[in-house]
Amino acid sequence: MPVLLFLIDTSASMNQRTHLGTTYLDIAKGAVETFMKLRSRDPASRADRYMLVNFEEVPFGIKAGWKESHATLMTELRNLQANGLTSIGQSLRTSFDLLNLNRLVTGIDNYGQGRNPFFLEPAIILAITDGNKLTSTGGVQDELHLPLTTPLPGSELTKEPFRWDQRLFALVLRIPGVSSVEPEPLGGVPSDDSPITPMCEVTGGRSYSVFSQRMLNQCLESLVQKIQSGVVINFEKTGPDPPPLEDAPVEPVKPGPQSWHCCHKLIYVRPNPKTGVPIGHWPIPEAFWPDQNSPTLPPRSAHPHVRFSCVDAEPMVIDKVPFDKYELEPSPLTQFILERNAKYSDLGQPFGYLKASTALNCVNLFVMPYNYPVLLPLLDDLIKVHKFKPTLQWRQSFENYLKTMPPYYIGSLKKALRIMGAPNLLADNMEYGLSYSVVSYLKKLSQQTKIEYDRLITSIGKKAPPDAGIKVRWRGGGAASLAQRREFIQRLQSLTGEPLWSEASEFQEPYDVPRSHLLDQLSRMRRNILHTSTCTLRGHDSDQLHSVPIAQMGNYQDFLKAAPQPLRDADPEQPKRLHTFGNPSNSTRRYDSLWRRHDDRRADEFVTGTQNKGKRPGDSYNLSGGGPKRRRCMSPLLRLGRAYTPPVTPPASPRHSTGTAPRPKPASTKPEMKSVPRLAYFVHLAVDRPESRV
């Protein structure tokens, strides 16, 4: 379930106006609504959760969190006002803490026992700001600093405030106040040089420097495409570069590190098509060797640091041993592997490899068992040679392998052996958990996080206390209006005989009714008292039941979430309507052509009389005008006094069974693909050598 958090800059500088006549804050509000409409085109958006945070202090800056509905978010968005400081550092920390509030309760981070890519809660923070100087109560700052202290329990287990499935994107508004006569530059939107850009790049996101409304729409469409389920990993090359390919053109190589040597990119974690949630078998190992006697856990980095080396080798796969496959986000590393189409060093034992796909259009990360070059040959001999009856020598080799494997892999290895048909190779009493003190500490953090979660949820929606200032007395005095007087309501109830209905629709102040609406309001009041309307809500008539305020007309997110899951289409080839809201003419061209052909066929049947089969001859229509009167047809194909002649289609040319030579196929312009040796890139994570532990 993706989480989309909007961080809106509500500093006073957002009140500046552009050449469009709107303020930066108005553009930010419109960008959020446009983003949500673009996202609603994807059927997967039914499970999205939206949050809203501004630059106020905690908890008043959290306008919509885990429990608020879409309608609440839209109301709070429209009520935002720009009157504060540019405290983006504190607001970012608040946003990350809000996203991480429930992770220790669910145990999704799995501290100390490996990182599971299939246990994730993808989140995207979309910050909209003007890129001005960072201001706070302490003065003006040149760099972005996030507060180190946070009330969230367990934050010391991760070095950074974010997690590997959370990314930050920023829209920096640079729209000028005077319209520019120079044409806009074509191509992609550049990154901004504001202090928020380095923070975006660290999380795996980026910033956009927006100079026009067209560029803003382009950025929003690009951001919608970036809502992907995945985690960010640091890939770094170790060892020498691979040798150049034979018969390849020699290209000059710049000295120093290349762009593909170090990449900070996302791996896509696709959900299972049957269950809708990701499924995996093997974790990515921790950067430290686990010690069951250690009372504490060392803090981990938000993104795992994976090192790979390039050696010519073939990947090892056994049919009955499961593996996990993740696609890499396009990067210089994937481009280099695809263009070349490498074993491991002394840093640690390998747990997977990078390999180009068969179609050479992407690069996949295969996560295997830890130190799989040793384990897979052992399992292969167990299946083919020993027929699941291991010898004493085989068991000694298998026990030696277990000594070089982190203990938290035992659970995953047990599941894999059970799938293979050898469930008794590992004893049930093998210990692979954490120490008692660490387990107790994690349970305590989970309870504290639950208390902090409940406290924050109850505080969301409260308004900040107003500043002490000059109090102005209301000129109307303390007298209540007529609609609020108890004796008036009781008198009206005694006259009508109906229960108190002011809760359904409160009375309006007579002076609040516009002059042009006085007669309509008087008619409603008369129908209400005399019971001449069939409306069930008192104070309304039948017309008002179907009237919706303009502010709520586009609020169909709650309806989509409450609607039942649609059934699978019987014919997947037919075009799909994403939703039925808005203008129905905005459907695809194929739908328009289908309806147009349907209308033309109905008009043809009307002219030729084929729709009147089964009726009496006297009831048929007479196109010459002598028959009975009929309702006017609105089809453009029918005109009074004109006969319709259907178009004559030429007969199809007959097929010749013999004597005709087949038409030659055009020569293919696709260049011939040369066979190149397929290489694999083996992936490692630096852990302590097993010799040092033994």
Side-chain angles (χ1 to χ4, degrees):
M1 181 178 63
V3 179
L4 306 174
L5 190 147
F6 301 106
L7 178 59
I8 309 299
D9 186 352
T10 54
S11 59
S13 58
M14 292 289 287
N15 287 320
Q16 56 182 316
R17 292 191 176 273
T18 66
H19 66 91
L20 303 174
T22 55
T23 64
Y24 275 3
L25 184 60
D26 296 333
I27 294 178
K29 295 178 180 179
V32 172
E33 296 182 359
T34 303
F35 180 88
M36 298 175 70
K37 290 179 181 179
L38 293 175
R39 175 59 180 166
S40 63
R41 298 176 181 176
D42 189 354
S45 63
R46 296 167 57 94
D48 290 351
R49 181 181 295 277
Y50 294 98
M51 299 182 181
L52 180 63
V53 178
N54 68 347
F55 282 13
E56 296 182 52
E57 296 182 355
V58 183
F60 310 111
I62 304 176
K63 301 302 181 181
W66 290 97
K67 296 293 185 179
E68 281 68 34
S69 63
H70 176 77
T72 303
L73 184 142
M74 297 304 297
T75 302
E76 295 292 338
L77 177 67
R78 297 186 183 99
N79 294 335
L80 289 181
Q81 296 181 0
N83 52 11
L85 300 175
T86 314
S87 55
I88 192 171
Q90 178 63 48
S91 302
L92 278 176
R93 185 74 200 214
T94 302
S95 302
F96 287 127
D97 289 347
L98 180 62
L99 295 176
N100 301 330
L101 195 57
N102 209 27
R103 295 179 74 95
L104 275 175
V105 178
T106 59
I108 195 174
D109 290 318
N110 202 33
Y111 286 108
Q113 303 190 59
R115 306 170 188 251
N116 296 313
F118 44 89
F119 289 164
L120 77 166
E121 192 175 61
I124 286 182
I125 298 179
L126 178 57
I128 305 179
T129 179
D130 57 357
N132 285 340
K133 292 291 185 178
L134 306 180
T135 57
S136 63
T137 55
V140 180
Q141 302 174 356
D142 296 330
E143 297 180 355
L144 178 61
H145 297 284
L146 272 68
L148 298 178
T149 58
T150 175
L152 186 65
S155 59
E156 69 278 0
L157 296 176
T158 306
K159 298 178 182 179
E160 297 85 0
F162 51 86
R163 304 295 182 262
W164 66 340
D165 52 0
Q166 300 169 358
R167 292 177 293 165
L168 171 64
F169 295 89
L171 295 175
V172 184
L173 303 179
R174 303 289 187 182
I175 304 176
V178 180
S179 179
S180 177
V181 295
E182 299 180 358
E184 297 182 6
L186 301 177
V189 181
S191 299
D192 198 78
D193 57 354
S194 57
I196 198 175
T197 298
M199 190 65 191
C200 295
E201 295 175 351
V202 167
T203 62
R206 59 158 297 185
S207 64
Y208 299 88
S209 189
V210 181
F211 291 93
S212 65
Q213 185 67 36
R214 184 194 64 83
M215 296 179 68
L216 178 61
N217 296 334
Q218 182 180 354
C219 295
L220 293 175
E221 293 178 358
S222 174
L223 287 171
V224 170
Q225 301 299 326
K226 294 184 180 298
I227 304 177
Q228 300 285 344
S229 177
V231 295
V232 179
I233 296 180
N234 281 321
F235 293 98
E236 182 181 355
K237 185 193 74 69
T238 181
D241 291 352
L245 296 176
E246 298 181 359
D247 300 335
V250 179
E251 298 180 357
V253 180
K254 298 180 180 180
Q258 305 297 320
S259 59
W260 62 273
H261 287 178
C262 184
C263 289
H264 186 72
K265 290 298 180 179
L266 187 79
I267 63 170
Y268 301 121
V269 183
R270 309 293 186 187
N272 188 288
K274 295 182 180 180
T275 61
V277 296
I279 297 178
H281 302 87
W282 306 105
I284 295 178
E286 300 279 359
F288 57 88
W289 192 268
D291 186 5
Q292 296 185 358
N293 298 322
S294 176
T296 59
L297 283 175
R300 64 159 59 153
S301 59
H303 301 150
H305 197 77
V306 176
R307 297 181 179 180
F308 65 93
S309 58
C310 309
V311 177
D312 188 2
E314 289 292 334
M316 303 177 62
V317 177
I318 297 180
D319 295 338
K320 295 185 178 181
V321 178
F323 60 88
D324 301 331
K325 179 180 177 181
Y326 307 103
E327 180 185 347
L328 267 70
E329 184 182 14
S331 64
L333 175 60
T334 60
Q335 183 180 359
F336 177 80
I337 297 177
L338 293 176
E339 289 177 354
R340 288 191 58 90
N341 204 31
K343 213 163 175 186
Y344 55 91
S345 62
D346 295 335
L347 293 173
Q349 307 301 339
F351 64 88
Y353 55 88
L354 295 170
K355 179 177 175 294
S357 63
T358 306
L360 297 180
N361 55 3
C362 66
V363 175
N364 298 317
L365 169 64
F366 290 81
V367 178
M368 306 290 290
Y370 187 82
N371 200 5
Y372 66 93
V374 176
L375 176 63
L376 294 188
L378 287 174
L379 297 180
D380 193 34
D381 292 342
L382 178 66
I383 298 173
K384 297 179 180 180
V385 178
H386 305 293
K387 306 299 181 182
F388 293 100
K389 295 180 180 180
T391 61
L392 180 61
Q393 182 180 1
W394 188 94
R395 286 187 177 274
Q396 291 178 354
S397 301
F398 186 68
E399 290 177 358
N400 292 333
Y401 161 77
L402 293 179
K403 294 178 181 179
T404 65
M405 182 188 70
Y408 48 79
Y409 271 86
I410 293 179
S412 301
L413 185 57
K414 280 185 177 180
K415 295 180 182 179
L417 294 176
R418 191 181 304 115
I419 295 175
M420 291 176 53
N424 299 324
L425 287 179
L426 293 176
D428 295 335
N429 57 355
M430 292 188 65
E431 297 182 359
Y432 58 93
L434 302 173
S435 62
Y436 177 77
S437 58
V438 173
V439 173
S440 302
Y441 176 66
L442 292 177
K443 289 183 179 180
K444 180 180 178 181
L445 289 180
S446 177
Q447 297 173 359
Q448 293 177 355
T449 306
K450 186 65 170 62
I451 297 174
E452 179 66 19
Y453 174 81
D454 296 336
R455 185 195 67 80
L456 185 61
I457 290 301
T458 55
S459 63
I460 294 178
K462 295 182 179 179
K463 302 298 182 181
D467 296 335
I470 301 176
K471 297 182 179 180
V472 180
R473 185 174 59 87
W474 181 46
R475 296 180 61 182
S481 64
L482 183 63
Q484 296 176 347
R485 294 180 181 177
R486 182 181 300 272
E487 59 271 14
F488 174 76
I489 298 177
Q490 293 177 354
R491 178 62 176 172
L492 184 63
Q493 181 179 356
S494 62
L495 292 176
T496 59
E498 296 290 336
L500 188 64
W501 53 269
S502 60
E503 297 178 359
S505 175
E506 295 182 358
F507 292 103
Q508 292 185 2
E509 185 71 26
Y511 299 101
D512 294 338
V513 180
R515 182 182 180 89
S516 58
H517 296 170
L518 285 176
L519 294 179
D520 295 337
Q521 185 67 26
L522 186 61
S523 301
R524 296 191 189 98
M525 296 170 63
R526 183 182 297 107
R527 286 195 300 267
N528 184 49
I529 292 181
L530 299 179
H531 301 280
T532 58
S533 175
T534 59
C535 179
T536 57
L537 294 178
R538 313 308 300 165
H540 293 79
D541 55 12
S542 58
D543 294 337
Q544 287 181 313
L545 284 178
H546 305 284
S547 299
V548 180
I550 297 178
Q552 301 180 8
M553 286 184 177
N555 184 15
Y556 51 84
Q557 293 290 336
D558 293 339
F559 177 83
L560 289 178
K561 293 181 179 180
Q565 187 71 19
L567 299 177
R568 178 178 57 86
D569 293 335
D571 188 4
E573 299 294 334
Q574 294 293 332
K576 299 179 181 179
R577 287 291 304 274
L578 298 179
H579 53 70
T580 57
F581 294 93
N583 189 355
S585 64
N586 290 336
S587 58
T588 60
R589 295 182 178 179
R590 186 176 180 184
Y591 260 117
D592 296 339
S593 61
L594 289 176
W595 283 109
R596 193 179 298 112
R597 289 198 299 268
H598 174 72
D599 294 340
D600 295 344
R601 185 172 64 252
R602 293 289 302 273
D604 295 344
E605 294 176 356
F606 187 86
V607 176
T608 57
T610 56
Q611 83 283 2
N612 294 328
K613 292 181 180 180
K615 294 184 179 181
R616 292 178 297 177
D619 295 339
S620 61
Y621 293 99
N622 189 355
L623 296 179
S624 60
K629 294 183 178 180
R630 59 178 177 85
R631 189 168 55 183
R632 180 183 178 185
C633 179
M634 301 302 295
S635 175
L637 301 177
L638 300 181
R639 296 292 185 269
L640 186 61
R642 294 175 56 186
Y644 172 73
T645 304
V648 179
T649 58
S653 59
R655 293 185 177 180
H656 301 280
S657 59
T658 58
T660 57
R663 180 178 298 178
K665 296 182 179 179
S668 176
T669 59
K670 186 177 180 181
E672 183 180 358
M673 297 293 292
K674 294 183 179 181
S675 61
V676 296
R678 187 177 298 273
L679 303 178
Y681 285 76
F682 288 84
V683 181
H684 323 268
L685 192 68
V687 297
D688 293 342
R689 292 175 61 89
E691 291 81 6
S692 62
R693 189 179 72 89
V694 178

